[in-house]
Amino acid sequence: MDFKSFASALTKIEKIPLPGHFGHKGLVPRPDHIRWAGVLCLFFPDVQGMVHFVLIRRQKSKGPHSGQVAFPGGRKDPEDNTMGDTALRECEEEIGVPRSSIKLFKAMSELYIPPSDFWVKPFMGLVDYRPEFVMQHEEVAGLIHVPMTDLFNEKLISMEVIDAPERGVMEMPVFDFQGNRVWGATAMMLYEMRQTLGEIIS
């Protein structure tokens, strides 16, 4: 999809109701839960003017998400007024895109991550230029620029049956983007985005 058509559809995307999906299975965040994170799926035009989004590969660490493919994002800080502020700040810190240039246009369903005991709030946003990405090397090992069309390529998605903590046995999506396996919470967020954005490209 070309970027101009995508950007012109933002008003319609904002109004599309969230489909919800298997990843939530009745889980509702407690009002007193203090471990929250915000992540951002950032869309941008490539040199041909086609829509791409960016994923990161996290550095190897002792944490539960070591080396995984993910969206830019992280823990809510006290100075963040909203979860959107968190997603924008973390995006700027991790991949160097100024938060002032990003338009948030859709908040997605929050998702609980049992291994780290975080509730994560994902957002979709865009910039109308091709960013000069600057990685925060302490956190980010590499970037993956994904054409939005790959999100809808049936050959790049499979369903796997797993026994998920807090959710039980369920089918979950796995994406293969340029040889990078994307699974877990990030894949579930991508699947909801696939369902939502499918409304404008079908």
Side-chain angles (χ1 to χ4, degrees), residues 36 58 64 70 114 123 127 129 160 162 165 167 170 191:
W36 278 88
R58 298 214 169 273
F123 295 85
V127 291
Y129 62 95
E160 296 185 4
I162 69 165
R167 299 181 178 94
M170 58 190 296
Y191 196 83

Side-chain angles (χ1 to χ4, degrees), residues 40-44 53-58 70-73 87-99 102 127 129 131-137 139-145:
L40 177 61
C41 180
L42 180 67
F43 294 93
F44 63 94
F53 62 90
V54 62
L55 295 169
I56 66 172
R57 180 171 291 282
R58 298 214 169 273
F71 292 116
L88 290 170
R89 175 183 54 76
E90 286 283 343
C91 184
E92 181 172 14
E93 291 176 359
E94 292 191 339
I95 63 174
V97 181
R99 68 192 84 177
I102 301 172
V127 291
Y129 62 95
E132 292 292 333
F133 295 103
V134 180
M135 293 188 298
Q136 182 186 41
H137 291 288
E139 300 283 342
V140 181
L143 302 180
I144 306 164
H145 297 179

Side-chain angles (χ1 to χ4, degrees), residues 23 40 69 104 117 123:
L40 177 61
V69 176
L104 294 183
D117 189 30
F123 295 85

Side-chain angles (χ1 to χ4, degrees), residues 1-195:
M1 186 176 193
D2 71 271
F3 187 82
K4 288 184 179 179
S5 298
F6 181 70
S8 68
L10 294 191
T11 301
K12 181 177 180 181
I13 295 171
E14 290 171 352
K15 295 177 181 177
I16 296 173
L18 294 178
H21 55 78
F22 44 80
H24 301 84
K25 245 188 173 177
L27 294 177
V28 177
R30 301 192 314 269
D32 62 342
H33 197 94
I34 61 173
R35 293 172 65 86
W36 278 88
V39 302
L40 177 61
C41 180
L42 180 67
F43 294 93
F44 63 94
D46 71 352
V47 292
Q48 283 81 37
M50 304 304 289
V51 184
H52 281 56
F53 62 90
V54 62
L55 295 169
I56 66 172
R57 180 171 291 282
R58 298 214 169 273
Q59 292 283 10
K60 297 287 187 180
S61 69
K62 295 181 180 180
H65 306 300
S66 171
Q68 291 183 5
V69 176
F71 292 116
R75 179 196 298 265
K76 186 178 188 293
D77 281 352
E79 65 266 26
D80 298 331
N81 293 320
T82 67
M83 294 309 306
D85 290 340
T86 300
L88 290 170
R89 175 183 54 76
E90 286 283 343
C91 184
E92 181 172 14
E93 291 176 359
E94 292 191 339
I95 63 174
V97 181
R99 68 192 84 177
S100 60
S101 70
I102 301 172
K103 174 180 174 59
L104 294 183
F105 62 88
K106 188 74 171 178
M108 305 300 288
S109 302
E110 57 269 351
L111 189 66
Y112 181 59
I113 316 296
S116 52
D117 189 30
F118 268 92
W119 278 95
V120 177
K121 184 68 176 179
F123 295 85
M124 289 191 280
L126 89 167
V127 291
D128 60 4
Y129 62 95
R130 189 174 185 273
E132 292 292 333
F133 295 103
V134 180
M135 293 188 298
Q136 182 186 41
H137 291 288
E138 295 83 359
E139 300 283 342
V140 181
L143 302 180
I144 306 164
H145 297 179
V146 184
M148 194 178 80
T149 52
D150 283 3
L151 192 60
F152 302 95
N153 187 338
E154 298 293 342
K155 295 179 180 178
L156 301 181
I157 182 172
S158 59
M159 302 299 290
E160 296 185 4
V161 177
I162 69 165
D163 189 354
E166 306 289 334
R167 299 181 178 94
V169 177
M170 58 190 296
E171 274 196 329
M172 298 180 70
V174 176
F175 292 87
D176 182 351
F177 294 141
Q178 303 159 32
N180 296 281
R181 176 181 164 88
V182 187
W183 58 283
T186 301
M188 288 192 285
M189 295 171 199
L190 282 166
Y191 196 83
E192 185 176 64
M193 292 176 189
R194 168 187 159 104
Q195 291 175 293

